[in-house]
Amino acid sequence: MRYISTVHMFGTVFGWVLWGAISAGVTVAADWPTYRGDNARGGSSSETVRVPLQPRWIANAPGAPRLSFSSAEGRVIEGHLLGHRAKYDDAIHPVVVGQRVFFGSSVDHQLHCVDLHTGAELWTFFSGGPIRLAPTVAGNRVFFGSDDGFVYCLAAADGRPVWKLRGGPADEWLLARGEMVSRWPIRTGVLVDGGVAYFGAGIFPHDNVFLTAVNVADGSLVWKQDNISSLDAGRNDLSPQGYLLASDNLLVVPSGRSLPAVFDRATGRLLHKREFGRGTAGGVVGSVQALLADGQIYSAGPHHLLAMEQKTGDMGFGWIAGRQMAVSGDAAYVATGETVARLNRLEYAVNSRRRHQLELDIPALSKQVSTAGDKVAEVRKKLSEAQAELKRITDVGIVWQKPTKDDSALLAAGDLVFLGGQGRVTAYSSKTGENLWQSDVEGEARGLVVAGGHLLVSTNTGHIYSFASAELKLAAVPPAAKPIDNPFANDTLTAMYRQAADDILKRSGAKKGYGLIVGNEQGRLACELAKRSELKIYAVESDAKNVAAARASLSRAGLYGTRVVVHQADPASVPYSNYFANVIASDSLVKTGTLVGDPQKLARHLKPLGGAIVLGRPAAALGKPLDMAAANAWLKQMDLVEESQLAADDRWATLTRGALPGAGNWSHQYGNAANTAVSLDKRV
């Protein structure tokens, strides 16, 4: 890291490395309680921080965030470099209230609260899946959604759960880009206003999506939209993804790669969801990014923002060239990938309508030249005049612009404009565009926050950088603790679990793919399997205390979320995807000798063509070895014996699954495929 020689290591809590320095004389200023500062997502603050800035602390996730959706980003289509229009989770975005920073992580599935001045972790809360969007702080509570399908309300002071609510209709899970997630994940964040919290659940319109409003006090229902697609015979393409927006009466819902939908906040009634042709809209528009200003919805596309009337969805107010935009007063700041600029927003918008018309007229007139006959001179004159006018009005409404390729994030803060790019963040004067400060960061600077005298920069490597004025004095802090190799007690069970992991991997032949632990106890078998293989392990455990203990221990080892995930569930009814597990084992069986789970229900999770369920206890286990007769009888209840192979010795019984019934000669095409689970990837 760039600052490792000048900023001391601070501490590790549950897998997060925090580098920091203690400061004095900090003046608390504006809060930043939600993504891009407010429910209009304007991306501006009245607060100004003084430059030059110096590093304060860095929060470093156990790994880089992994996008929930793949994309054709980087391809050139029709002469334009294609952007990613569903990218909202490639960085970990914080919010700030008072002296506290809150952020959720898609890497370790936790909601973190850290001290703004030092980066010291104050508390953390485990959800059941990746947290992909920034939380919202309102009053003394924190609200966020998770890929486990729940919305959570926590006490901001200590992370104590207040309420949680499932957004979808059932507890069903699927594999999505390597993560086990709810069939109806929460991918909108949670918007809070006027005592009501709004959120969406689900992402596939024809698999049902839900939009819900609840009371912030107790999560009780205000209204719920559960028939959005069925209202128009399934033609509505609403896919609620990205940060919701709100005006006094309207709720605006970004919709994946299409234009946002607008609902009545009081009733949840759908008011409009528009579609425009590319020629009419000035090109491709629609993404998860939007902001509200001037009674307009500015909906982002790969290359420009389209302004539409909030109440009707009608367009024509303007076309703003840019991939990022922030609004402050009458000004708009935009980053286009070629320049960063300040605009007189209304003047630029009015002029953009004329520019857009000329950009449509010029190609049409050019085509007419060859067919104009005796009117060719007249057509040429019109073409020349249109070209001259377009050149003359190109810069109308532009106050200043500076060349830069940076366009990853944009923030207006007082008399400064911060711009994120690849490997750096830059501060410009909002009045003149002068470059006043710049710092290197690792990765692409995709998130910017100014609050409480600090600049926070989030990158796609999983880092959150904290900067503050160089006028503040910094003091040394204790060095950081490192992840613990063995977060459990070194006791009589240590050798048993290590031997069990070795035996299970040897008998199953599994080194990659997915593991399922049924009866997880405190996570010791999952930990040893993760350290000895490349398996991503999902574990179920019915005891809430064991679940909490396992999550905490595995997090201290730097394994939670990235390698092992633990859910509280009945081992007899696991809600996970079909056919995903390369190996199934049981910590409870290893520890106590008790067979756990319903063999017939577990059978649906075992991967065909090589997936193995391994039952047994190693020689180091306390008590009696596995009752092999009971183990074989249990395996036969899976109804897989005819298509599978059974192997047993005096301590272990292994069932290796063959092809699915009816697969016939097709099985040779797949061999020992890593995974054939039903996956959201195939449905994107």
Side-chain angles (χ1 to χ4, degrees):
M1 286 292 182
R2 182 172 182 264
Y3 301 121
I4 195 168
S5 61
T6 58
V7 179
H8 294 280
M9 302 291 283
F10 185 70
T12 303
V13 181
F14 297 157
W16 282 80
V17 180
L18 298 172
W19 301 341
I22 300 172
S23 67
V26 174
T27 300
V28 177
D31 289 335
W32 192 271
T34 188
Y35 178 73
R36 287 179 63 85
D38 58 30
N39 288 338
R41 314 303 177 190
S44 67
S45 171
S46 60
E47 180 176 350
T48 292
V49 293
R50 291 189 178 184
V51 291
L53 303 175
Q54 63 182 8
R56 296 282 298 283
W57 49 262
I58 303 174
N60 181 23
R66 185 174 182 182
L67 291 173
S68 54
F69 280 97
S70 60
S71 151
E73 184 176 15
R75 292 173 54 193
V76 176
I77 296 179
E78 297 180 0
H80 291 287
L81 183 66
L82 197 65
H84 196 317
R85 292 191 284 148
K87 184 162 62 175
Y88 48 85
D89 55 353
D90 61 332
I92 297 168
H93 296 279
V95 298
V96 181
V97 172
Q99 301 301 312
R100 295 190 168 205
V101 182
F102 304 86
F103 55 91
S105 170
S106 61
V107 181
D108 67 7
H109 305 185
Q110 297 175 58
L111 197 288
H112 296 264
C113 176
V114 307
D115 185 88
L116 176 63
H117 291 172
T118 67
E121 191 146 73
L122 303 176
W123 55 259
T124 187
F125 176 86
F126 287 89
S127 77
I131 304 170
R132 298 191 177 277
L133 294 99
T136 295
V137 181
N140 58 358
R141 296 182 178 182
V142 187
F143 302 84
F144 67 94
S146 168
D147 271 4
D148 64 3
F150 282 95
V151 165
Y152 294 83
C153 172
L154 310 180
D158 55 13
R160 173 180 49 85
V162 179
W163 55 260
K164 75 173 185 177
L165 180 68
R166 189 192 307 279
D171 188 21
E172 298 178 15
W173 294 66
L174 296 168
L175 274 177
R177 291 178 62 77
E179 295 278 4
M180 195 74 70
V181 303
S182 169
R183 185 174 169 184
W184 296 277
I186 309 300
R187 297 277 177 85
T188 62
V190 181
L191 185 148
V192 179
D193 190 44
V196 179
Y198 305 86
F199 58 90
I203 51 179
F204 296 107
H206 307 299
D207 201 21
N208 290 331
V209 296
F210 302 87
L211 195 63
T212 305
V214 300
N215 287 303
V216 299
D218 56 9
S220 60
L221 188 67
V222 176
W223 53 256
K224 187 167 189 173
Q225 273 281 17
D226 59 0
N227 62 347
I228 295 169
S229 290
S230 61
L231 287 174
D232 56 4
R235 294 188 296 274
N236 193 312
D237 63 350
L238 176 62
S239 176
Q241 297 177 75
Y243 294 91
L244 303 178
L245 307 94
S247 63
D248 290 342
N249 302 311
L250 303 177
L251 181 70
V252 181
V253 183
S255 178
R257 299 179 178 91
S258 64
L259 290 171
V262 176
F263 294 81
D264 184 290
R265 277 182 55 176
T267 65
R269 181 170 63 91
L270 176 64
L271 300 179
H272 62 81
K273 188 179 189 305
R274 303 300 294 273
E275 296 181 9
F276 298 111
R278 296 176 61 183
T280 306
V284 176
V285 291
S287 75
V288 297
Q289 193 78 15
L291 63 88
L292 304 182
D294 315 311
Q296 307 288 306
I297 304 169
Y298 289 91
S299 180
H303 312 290
H304 72 288
L305 295 99
L306 173 67
M308 305 182 297
E309 291 286 342
Q310 292 180 23
K311 293 182 179 180
T312 65
D314 293 341
M315 66 169 200
F317 180 81
W319 292 261
I320 309 295
R323 296 174 178 171
Q324 300 288 342
M325 176 173 162
V327 298
S328 179
D330 292 334
Y333 300 91
V334 296
T336 69
E338 298 294 333
T339 64
V340 59
R342 173 174 177 164
L343 312 177
N344 180 315
R345 192 167 65 256
L346 300 183
E347 183 182 13
Y348 183 93
V350 171
N351 181 64
S352 75
R353 297 200 294 269
R354 180 57 183 161
R355 269 201 331 271
H356 178 64
Q357 186 59 54
L358 290 169
E359 288 167 351
L360 295 176
D361 291 345
I362 289 172
L365 289 168
S366 297
K367 290 181 180 179
Q368 290 178 28
V369 169
S370 61
T371 60
D374 57 0
K375 294 185 178 181
V376 66
E378 180 182 346
V379 173
R380 288 185 185 276
K381 181 181 178 182
K382 289 182 179 179
L383 175 60
S384 178
E385 290 173 347
Q387 291 171 332
E389 183 182 359
L390 180 60
K391 183 177 181 180
R392 185 173 64 255
I393 68 173
T394 295
D395 294 334
V396 172
I398 298 176
V399 179
W400 56 256
Q401 59 182 342
K402 302 293 180 180
T404 178
K405 298 290 186 182
D406 296 345
D407 64 356
S408 301
L410 191 64
L411 166 66
D415 57 7
L416 296 174
V417 179
F418 291 97
L419 180 63
Q422 183 64 50
R424 64 186 179 188
V425 60
T426 306
Y428 297 86
S429 166
S430 62
K431 295 179 180 179
T432 66
E434 179 185 0
N435 186 327
L436 300 177
W437 172 82
Q438 189 172 89
S439 178
D440 293 343
V441 294
E442 182 181 338
E444 185 181 0
R446 289 279 295 141
L448 301 170
V449 170
V450 166
H454 291 66
L455 168 70
L456 302 181
V457 182
S458 303
T459 73
N460 62 356
T461 59
H463 301 327
I464 301 174
Y465 291 80
S466 172
F467 298 92
S469 173
E471 296 177 355
L472 298 177
K473 295 182 180 180
L474 303 177
V477 295
K482 296 180 179 180
I484 301 170
D485 180 63
N486 180 20
F488 303 99
N490 190 11
D491 54 20
T492 56
L493 299 179
T494 303
M496 179 193 73
Y497 278 113
R498 290 173 178 171
Q499 185 60 56
D502 287 337
D503 289 345
I504 290 168
L505 292 174
K506 179 180 179 181
R507 282 164 171 76
S508 67
K511 289 293 185 180
K512 298 181 179 180
Y514 298 92
L516 171 59
I517 302 294
V518 184
N520 184 62
E521 299 293 328
Q522 294 191 333
R524 299 184 70 162
L525 179 60
C527 182
E528 296 299 335
L529 287 170
K531 290 192 292 185
R532 286 164 167 75
S533 71
E534 298 179 45
L535 290 168
K536 178 71 176 282
I537 298 168
Y538 287 90
V540 293
E541 166 63 38
S542 59
D543 187 279
K545 291 183 178 179
N546 279 345
V547 171
R551 286 172 168 175
S553 296
L554 292 163
S555 187
R556 287 195 295 272
L559 296 173
Y560 195 82
T562 57
R563 299 295 313 285
V564 184
V565 178
V566 182
H567 290 127
Q568 184 179 358
D570 182 357
S573 184
V574 179
Y576 296 155
S577 172
N578 293 341
Y579 308 140
F580 84 95
N582 296 73
V583 59
I584 298 176
S586 172
D587 190 317
S588 296
L589 176 59
V590 169
K591 183 179 180 180
T592 68
T594 303
L595 288 163
V596 176
D598 184 324
Q600 285 189 322
K601 292 181 179 179
L602 276 178
R604 74 180 182 88
H605 302 298
L606 191 61
K607 185 187 76 66
L609 299 169
I613 181 165
V614 184
L615 306 178
R617 308 189 72 206
L622 300 176
K624 297 180 180 179
L626 178 66
D627 183 332
M628 299 308 297
N632 282 323
W634 192 91
L635 289 172
K636 289 179 181 179
Q637 292 180 55
M638 300 183 82
D639 293 330
L640 300 176
V641 174
E642 291 185 4
E643 63 187 66
S644 306
Q645 294 181 347
L646 286 172
D649 55 28
D650 58 342
R651 290 192 173 272
W652 295 93
T654 303
L655 181 148
T656 303
R657 188 169 189 172
L660 291 172
N665 295 328
W666 284 19
S667 61
H668 74 275
Q669 299 178 27
Y670 300 98
N672 192 27
N675 200 285
T676 58
V678 176
S679 171
L680 289 179
D681 292 15
K682 303 301 183 184
R683 307 166 65 190
V684 175

